[in-house]
Each structure stands twice: as structure tokens, then as C-alpha cells.
Amino acid sequence: MLLEHEGRRPRIHPTAYVAPNATVSGDVTIGPESRILFGAVLTAEGGPVTVGSRCVVMEQAILRGTKAHPLRLADHVLVGPHAHLTGCTVEDDVFVATGAAVFNGGRVGARSTVRINGVVHIKSVLAPDTVVPIGWIAVGDPARILPPDAHDEIWAVQGPLNFSKTVFGLDPAPPGKTNMPERMRRYALALGRHLRDRILDRHGSPDF
């Protein structure tokens, strides 16, 4: 499904392939010989999504650009099934494996590998040729790569990166309080812009 969102339409190179049940919404550019497989979602939520040449985005992966953090895949990038990338930059020749996540402001250096269920956290930067092991977390700039049970070490780096402010534009709530009502008010308002989307045909024209 191709969607016009906020007046922006996907731009898909003639040599690229987008599966019939993939969703490509808004300001998304897909480069030469790239392949977007079944059930994948590429959505520009206020910021563009750019996919370079000969990239493969596999089944059920999600790529999301935001106003503060556009998403860019360089060339020869593989995004595995069920991976989740938001507002990040992935440089050439990177392998993002099944179930991995790269969050807002993250950068994955060239020739790196994020293995199954690995995480590159907000505003974290992987140097070129880095490997994030299965289920491990890369956090900070430059990134420290830590096992998931190293909570205190992870939080010592992650806390100052301020997930709430980076992703939702809100300072963290004090202990015993929550900012979830305001987070969800803002998020629902932003996502409500999809109410005005238009479905396009495979040639990019409105499908009435």
C-alpha cells in the first residue's frame, strides 16, 4: 500500500520492488534495486525515510522517520524480519538482524552488525565495524556495548540521554508521577494526521 501523507508521496526507483502488502507512507525514497518485503512498514512521521541502493527490508520490519530524527539507510543494508528502526542513520554495508532495534538519533557505522534482538539506544553511535552481540545493548556516544542484565551500567549512560525528552519532547516525570497522559495526547494528535492520508495506486496516483 502506498500512501500520500501530509501532501508527500513515496518516490520509488523503477528497479526497486515493494511487496503488495508492504506499507510505504509519505516522504519515503526507495533507491535502485532495493527490496521492501511482505508486511514491512516504511512511514515518514514528520521526517523523511530514505533507503539507498540494494537494500533489503525484510518481512514485518518497521522503519520510521520523525520530525526531529529522519531515518536514512545508506547502500547495501539488510534489515531483518521484525526489526524496528526509528529516526536513525545506518551507514553502508550494515546487517541489522531479526528483531533488532535502533532508536531515535542512533547511528550505526559502516560494516557493523546488530545481531538478533540487539539494541542501539537513543543518540548512541556505533563506530564502523562494530558488532552488537545477540540481545545486547549499545548505549552512548561512543557506544558502550553491554549485556541486558547490566541494568545499572546501561542506565548510568542511558539516563542522561533522556529518552522522554528525545522521543516525546517531555522532561521525565518525577518519581511517583507519570507523563504518560501528555505523551499520549501528543502522540495521538500527531498520528491523527493519518486521517487525511490518501491511498495511491502503484504508479503514485490517488486511488479513489
Side-chain angles (χ1 to χ4, degrees), residues 79-162:
V79 178
H82 299 280
H84 176 203
L85 282 66
T86 298
C88 59
T89 298
V90 179
E91 297 179 355
D92 291 340
D93 311 320
V94 166
F95 176 27
V96 180
T98 299
V102 186
F103 286 100
N104 306 55
R107 178 179 291 271
V108 180
R111 302 175 302 280
S112 292
T113 299
V114 184
R115 291 187 172 155
I116 294 169
N117 294 331
V119 174
V120 179
H121 227 300
I122 58 166
K123 299 191 284 189
S124 298
V125 178
L126 287 185
D129 302 298
T130 299
V131 175
V132 179
I134 292 172
W136 284 42
I137 294 95
V139 60
D141 179 9
R144 294 183 63 193
I145 300 173
L146 297 163
D149 60 356
H151 176 268
D152 291 345
E153 292 177 81
I154 293 167
W155 187 247
V157 182
Q158 180 190 335
L161 297 177
N162 200 337

Side-chain angles (χ1 to χ4, degrees), residues 36-54:
I36 311 302
L37 298 187
F38 301 92
V41 176
L42 283 66
T43 181
E45 305 284 0
V49 172
T50 304
V51 175
S53 64
R54 293 180 179 166

Side-chain angles (χ1 to χ4, degrees), residues 160-181:
L161 297 177
N162 200 337
F163 183 93
S164 182
K165 189 75 169 180
T166 299
V167 176
F168 296 103
L170 290 169
D171 288 321
K177 304 290 184 180
T178 181
N179 62 16
M180 284 301 293

